[in-house]
Amino acid sequence: MREENVVLPCNSPSSLSSCSDVTWFYSRDKNQNTQKKVWSGADDQISHRVSKFNVSSSCSLIMEYVDDDDAGLYTCRPGSDASSDGFVYLNVLSNYPPYFSRSSKTFYCSLRRYDGLDLCPENSFRWLDETGTELTEGVWLELRGPTVCLSSLTVKDQSDKNRNYTCQFVEGNRVKVEIKHTPRRFKGSSSGIIHLYHRAGDEAVLPCNRPSSSDSCSSVDWIYQRNKNMNRKQEVHGGMVQSSPRSARMSLDRNCSLIINNITAEDVGRYSCGYNTDVYLNMMIISSSPPAVDPTKNEEITLFCSLLRSSSLESCPDKSFLWLNETGSELTGEGDGYKYGGQFGCVSSLTVNLQSRRRFTCQFVEGNKVKIEAHYGSEGPPASSPLSFIMLTLKITGLILMVGITVGIIRTRGRKKPQKDVNVRFSVDDDSVNYENDGERSAAAALH
């Protein structure tokens, strides 16, 4: 389950005296050509998520604070012989803040897993109320993708705010994992709350709003909390960035704003600088299933647009995601080469036939204001665009004309004596360029 610690067994041979020869690999999907090494006894911990991994005395992989990105296939290799590999599939069950309408609210529950397994069965999700009674009305299996399965429960909005619901993932009649939706009060915005929106890899600058009378950052502390269930962590104390796996990407500017370079999903959450300012860092990503396709083969893929944010916030409002094509036209319903998959919490999907040089844009909006957008596909118009064909033809024709004129001038100027009745003709399609020399003028051109 998300936000928990897990232990993945290695099943190492009893003859193994230590974990120095053990290596752990990670793979998200079957299309990856190489596995990523996440832990090695020989190289010590080697990963951009190094703080997440450790090993036990039996060489089992210990993962701290599991999230959706950790789902996949993990391989334990004792020594260098791949024939003794042990495989562990990690599935991550997550819940999202409910979506509220006038008379109802909808809860979402998703299972992230390795791309290479069978699709989730129809009845793989079960919803229970606070008494343990199974609910059947309002339950839907929204998505059965290769990497994610999504279920929802819609209930009438009641005055009893203490009701809670449990989502279970089952195989047969056996519960594999469950997660509980607990009551949560909405926290409205105020002048001391700032929302920042970025894409993965961006540089984020988190303002501190300290008093202008302060001359230094020696009294500034930055506190980070991914969600309300996670312990608060001090990233900056007394103006100094504290040692952590993320410290190399953090710094303060002269206004004591916190700068985070090359942001990742690990950076999403709530930051407080101590001057009555809370900054929520949100990140948008676009992924595809399958993740790697040949755009020239016009394969069908599903694009997932996600807004990662602190779980202490409310779920994304309905219709807060927009999909656009390369011309800026909004894609809704089903059309030529695409099918809109709808929005579930803070995730929206679009299934497309990926043509050469096609580009799709996902926007997150609040009201009529675009907060952030992300793109999938090549820049520029598609290769089949009539305008691009016309422009390409004009460019080629112009280039041929320039070459012809230049060659004629160079040849004429290169002769020591003017020659009479010299005609040079260069034909471009049905147009002719005629160069004439009458012995007096150096060159002349006539178009016919």
Side-chain angles (χ1 to χ4, degrees):
M1 188 171 67
R2 193 174 68 169
E3 302 174 8
E4 290 186 347
N5 297 343
V6 299
V7 178
L8 308 184
C10 180
N11 296 326
S12 58
S14 57
S15 58
L16 204 64
S17 58
S18 70
C19 300
S20 60
D21 295 329
V22 171
T23 305
W24 276 95
F25 298 93
Y26 166 72
S27 178
R28 176 171 294 183
D29 59 78
K30 60 184 178 181
N31 294 318
Q32 287 183 333
N33 296 324
T34 58
Q35 296 174 316
K36 294 181 180 179
K37 188 187 297 184
V38 295
W39 194 93
S40 171
D43 302 333
D44 200 4
Q45 300 174 358
I46 51 168
S47 170
H48 70 282
R49 299 185 298 171
V50 62
S51 62
K52 296 181 69 72
F53 301 104
N54 206 335
V55 294
S56 67
S57 57
S58 61
C59 306
S60 298
L61 185 66
I62 302 173
M63 300 177 58
E64 297 182 0
Y65 192 68
V66 172
D67 58 29
D68 292 344
D69 292 333
D70 296 318
L73 172 63
Y74 290 81
T75 303
C76 176
R77 180 170 300 167
S80 58
D81 186 6
S83 63
S84 59
D85 285 355
F87 304 100
V88 183
Y89 291 95
L90 178 62
N91 305 285
V92 181
L93 187 68
S94 305
N95 63 0
Y96 301 95
Y99 167 70
F100 293 88
S101 64
R102 286 186 177 181
S103 59
S104 66
K105 53 186 174 182
T106 301
F107 301 88
Y108 295 96
C109 178
S110 72
L111 185 77
R112 293 272 182 172
R113 55 192 200 146
Y114 175 73
D115 180 9
L117 303 175
D118 294 333
L119 296 180
C120 295
E122 285 287 348
N123 299 317
S124 54
F125 287 91
R126 183 186 298 166
W127 288 86
L128 312 175
D129 64 14
E130 67 278 358
T131 67
T133 303
E134 183 176 355
L135 305 173
T136 56
E137 185 179 354
V139 176
W140 301 93
L141 180 59
E142 307 277 5
L143 184 64
R144 298 173 61 205
T147 59
V148 61
C149 304
L150 181 68
S151 178
S152 68
L153 169 68
T154 300
V155 298
K156 292 182 179 180
D157 198 7
Q158 302 172 352
S159 57
D160 185 1
K161 303 300 182 181
N162 294 320
R163 299 199 64 180
N164 58 69
Y165 302 92
T166 299
C167 172
Q168 296 179 337
F169 181 78
V170 299
E171 287 185 354
N173 290 322
R174 185 178 178 184
V175 178
K176 291 294 185 179
V177 64
E178 66 179 29
I179 193 168
K180 185 172 294 185
H181 289 260
T182 56
R184 180 178 304 171
R185 292 185 177 180
F186 174 74
K187 294 182 179 180
S189 60
S190 68
S191 58
I193 296 179
I194 300 172
H195 288 270
L196 297 180
Y197 298 86
H198 284 281
R199 291 175 291 268
D202 286 353
E203 177 186 271
V205 180
L206 285 59
C208 183
N209 292 338
R210 69 188 180 106
S212 57
S213 57
S214 301
D215 296 329
S216 69
C217 301
S218 59
S219 61
V220 170
D221 293 342
W222 274 98
I223 306 297
Y224 168 68
Q225 188 177 27
R226 178 154 188 168
N227 58 64
K228 67 175 186 178
N229 297 320
M230 178 182 174
N231 293 331
R232 293 163 63 89
K233 184 176 181 181
Q234 194 168 54
E235 298 290 355
V236 175
H237 177 60
M240 301 294 294
V241 177
Q242 302 299 289
S243 177
S244 73
R246 302 193 299 156
S247 60
R249 297 188 288 112
M250 291 185 173
S251 62
L252 294 182
D253 64 13
R254 63 180 183 178
N255 295 320
C256 307
S257 299
L258 180 62
I259 301 174
I260 308 177
N261 295 312
N262 192 26
I263 65 170
T264 69
E266 291 182 308
D267 301 316
V268 171
R270 173 186 175 184
Y271 294 80
S272 304
C273 78
Y275 289 101
N276 197 28
T277 302
D278 289 332
V279 182
Y280 285 91
L281 180 59
N282 308 275
M283 190 178 81
M284 173 178 276
I285 59 173
I286 287 186
S287 58
S288 66
S289 180
V293 295
D294 184 353
T296 64
K297 293 183 178 180
N298 197 27
E299 298 183 44
E300 186 175 273
I301 64 171
T302 299
L303 305 180
F304 295 96
C305 182
S306 307
L307 186 73
L308 306 182
R309 62 197 323 204
S310 171
S311 63
S312 60
L313 300 173
E314 288 299 299
S315 183
C316 300
D318 192 23
K319 298 181 181 180
S320 56
F321 288 88
L322 299 179
W323 286 94
L324 312 175
N325 63 12
E326 62 275 1
T327 67
S329 300
E330 184 179 353
L331 305 177
T332 59
E334 186 173 357
D336 182 19
Y338 74 88
K339 182 178 181 181
Y340 176 61
Q343 177 184 333
F344 310 98
C346 292
V347 181
S348 181
S349 65
L350 181 75
T351 300
V352 300
N353 291 324
L354 189 63
Q355 301 174 0
S356 178
R357 294 179 60 81
R358 291 299 301 272
R359 175 177 173 174
F360 302 93
T361 299
C362 175
Q363 295 180 338
F364 177 76
V365 300
E366 286 186 352
N368 292 322
K369 186 176 182 180
V370 177
K371 292 296 184 179
I372 189 172
E373 63 181 28
H375 309 287
Y376 185 95
S378 303
E379 296 287 338
S384 58
S385 168
L387 178 60
S388 64
F389 176 78
I390 294 173
M391 293 302 296
L392 179 61
T393 302
L394 290 175
K395 288 180 180 179
I396 294 176
T397 304
L399 179 61
I400 293 175
L401 286 171
M402 290 301 298
V403 171
I405 294 172
T406 303
V407 170
I409 293 175
I410 293 175
R411 287 183 177 178
T412 303
R413 288 183 176 179
R415 295 185 177 93
K416 293 183 179 179
K417 296 180 180 180
Q419 299 180 9
K420 296 181 179 180
D421 300 327
V422 177
N423 296 291
V424 179
R425 296 182 60 85
F426 189 84
S427 178
V428 181
D429 294 331
D430 294 330
D431 295 329
S432 298
V433 181
N434 185 34
Y435 302 95
E436 298 180 353
N437 191 337
D438 60 3
E440 299 295 332
R441 292 168 293 175
S442 60
L447 296 179
H448 299 276

